[in-house]
Structure formats: structure tokens, C-alpha cells
Amino acid sequence: MDTKAEATYPLDRIDQAIIEVLRHEGRITFEKLSTLVHLTPRPCLERVRKLERHGVIRGYAAIIDPQKVAPGLSVLVLVALSNLSGRTSQKHFEATINACSEVFECQLISGHFDYSLRLRCRDMEHYRVLSERWMNDAALHIDKLVAHPELATVKSLTPRL
């Protein structure tokens, strides 16, 4: 799926209904799913498999409560690299972030910042030490970090339990 034409897969109302149900109940049986989307089980299974083959459904996962696993602080961090940094330093930055267990999301973004990170730290001191290490690493070419501790989740794409 390299071309733009292949990047999107046409979804009809039944495909959209299947996706909406699976988004909230990934472990639902095909029998129950088929009832909810008004299909018989076999065609429902075939549609799900086709959505998986085309990459519309990329996988299934457990929804983990991060506070139960690692109590602490979630922080949204915006990162600006220096204007002089090139693709090599971007790759180094991305490799560093991918290797960092505290970072659980990283997006390349446009605007005044280059990256948006979501991290999980024990507390603000843990974040301070981590961000200081990044700022002191000249190979990362970080110009600016702006941290926003998360106070509460108002809406999430993952369902609430």
C-alpha cells in the first residue's frame, strides 16, 4: 500500500458499524458482532478479515490503566529541534525517544514545535531529570521543551471501563 489511492479503503455503512463496535468491544464474538451490524456471522467474519488485510483494523489490544501499572504523572511535552538540525539529528532524536521507556507516544507535528510526546514519569523530579538529560545531549539538537502535566482525561479514543 504505497500509493495514495491504496492508502484509503472505501468503507460502507456496515464496515463503519463494525469498526465502531470493535473500537469499544474488541473481544466481542463474531456472532454478537454480526447481530449488532445486521449480518449473518460468516459475512461479518469475512468483512472483519478484509478490514484487517487492508490495514483498516491494525490489531487488537488490552486497555491498560497506567495509574495501576505505574502510578505517577502523565506529561504532554512539545519539542522543538534547532533550525540547524537536519534529518540525521531527527533520526537520532527519534531513536532516543523510541528507546525511552517513559515515552509512550510520539508524533511528528507541524507548527512551532516538531514533536509531541506523551510520557509517564514517577513525579515531576523524574521528569526534570529526564528532560535535563535530553537538553544536555547535544546530538539531540533540542532547542525547546514545553511540558504540560495532564490533570485529567476528558476524552480518549480508547473506551472507558
Side-chain angles (χ1 to χ4, degrees):
M1 282 197 228
D2 291 330
T3 67
K4 193 167 189 150
E6 292 176 328
T8 58
Y9 178 75
L11 303 174
D12 64 16
R13 67 175 181 75
I14 295 173
D15 291 333
Q16 290 173 346
I18 289 170
I19 291 167
E20 191 58 30
V21 171
L22 290 177
R23 180 177 309 183
H24 297 285
E25 293 184 65
R27 294 179 64 171
I28 192 170
T29 65
F30 283 109
E31 190 168 313
K32 187 172 180 185
L33 176 62
S34 65
T35 301
L36 292 173
V37 299
H38 309 291
L39 283 178
T40 57
R42 182 73 183 159
C44 183
L45 173 63
E46 289 170 2
R47 280 181 177 256
V48 170
R49 296 295 182 237
K50 187 182 264 186
L51 291 168
E52 291 170 346
R53 273 194 316 275
H54 287 292
V56 175
I57 298 173
R58 296 188 324 202
Y60 302 87
I63 299 165
I64 309 299
D65 183 342
Q67 280 289 46
K68 302 261 195 240
V69 175
L73 180 68
S74 290
V75 185
L76 171 66
V77 180
L78 300 173
V79 181
L81 301 182
S82 69
N83 291 337
L84 302 175
S85 66
R87 187 64 192 135
T88 303
S89 57
Q90 275 187 312
K91 284 183 179 182
H92 182 68
F93 175 81
E94 290 174 9
T96 300
I97 293 308
N98 279 317
C100 182
S101 63
E102 290 87 354
V103 177
F104 60 93
E105 267 183 41
C106 175
Q107 287 85 27
L108 179 64
I109 59 175
S110 65
H112 297 292
F113 292 91
D114 300 301
Y115 293 93
S116 170
L117 311 175
R118 277 208 192 299
L119 348 161
R120 189 100 189 134
C121 295
R122 289 183 303 279
D123 51 30
M124 282 305 284
E125 177 63 12
H126 181 198
Y127 170 72
R128 187 192 67 73
V129 169
L130 180 63
S131 61
E132 196 172 273
R133 184 173 1 124
W134 290 344
M135 290 297 289
N136 290 333
D137 185 343
L140 294 178
H141 295 277
I142 295 175
D143 186 41
K144 184 179 357 177
L145 289 175
V146 176
H148 301 278
E150 294 181 6
L151 302 176
T153 301
V154 177
K155 180 179 179 179
S156 174
L157 291 177
T158 56
R160 294 261 178 214
L161 300 177

